[in-house]
Amino acid sequence: MENPIIDTKPFTVNLNGDVLQVTVHLIGHNIIYRIVFPDNRPELKLFRAKGIENPKFWTSIPENLARIKETEAVGQLIFDHYNPPVLLKK
């Protein structure tokens, strides 16, 4: 189902030289990002969650603490994809 507000087009991000395939899925009111790696690593499904002390953070579904650094790095790349830096004119 298309949502005119949320961009659900697949895209790629680059993590340490690896090109990762990202697909966007809407489940209820939640946005889930499915990450496919070019090697034999299992895919990740990421979600931007709200915490009590940390307002927003990236987590995997199901949560995989062994891959938390990878989850945070890929989550930041997804965030950057949707929020590119603003270049200031000199």
Side-chain angles (χ1 to χ4, degrees):
M1 181 167 102
E2 286 294 315
N3 184 320
I5 298 172
I6 298 170
D7 183 1
T8 57
K9 292 185 209 92
F11 59 95
T12 60
V13 295
N14 188 311
L15 178 67
N16 301 325
D18 290 333
V19 177
L20 313 181
Q21 303 295 319
V22 181
T23 55
V24 184
H25 306 272
L26 299 174
I27 300 176
H29 295 289
N30 298 310
I31 303 170
I32 308 297
Y33 300 92
R34 179 175 171 257
I35 317 306
V36 177
F37 294 84
D39 53 22
N40 291 329
R41 280 178 282 179
E43 67 182 32
L44 281 174
K45 292 172 193 77
L46 303 186
F47 173 72
R48 182 110 183 207
K50 287 185 180 181
I52 295 170
E53 293 182 28
N54 186 359
K56 290 187 180 178
F57 62 96
W58 289 95
T59 189
S60 59
I61 302 170
E63 187 174 39
N64 184 339
L65 295 178
R67 295 181 77 185
I68 190 71
K69 295 288 185 201
E70 191 173 40
T71 295
E72 291 170 348
V74 175
Q76 184 62 50
L77 293 171
I78 292 169
F79 180 84
D80 293 345
H81 172 80
Y82 289 111
N83 301 283
V86 177
L87 299 176
L88 300 175
K89 293 182 180 180
K90 291 186 177 184

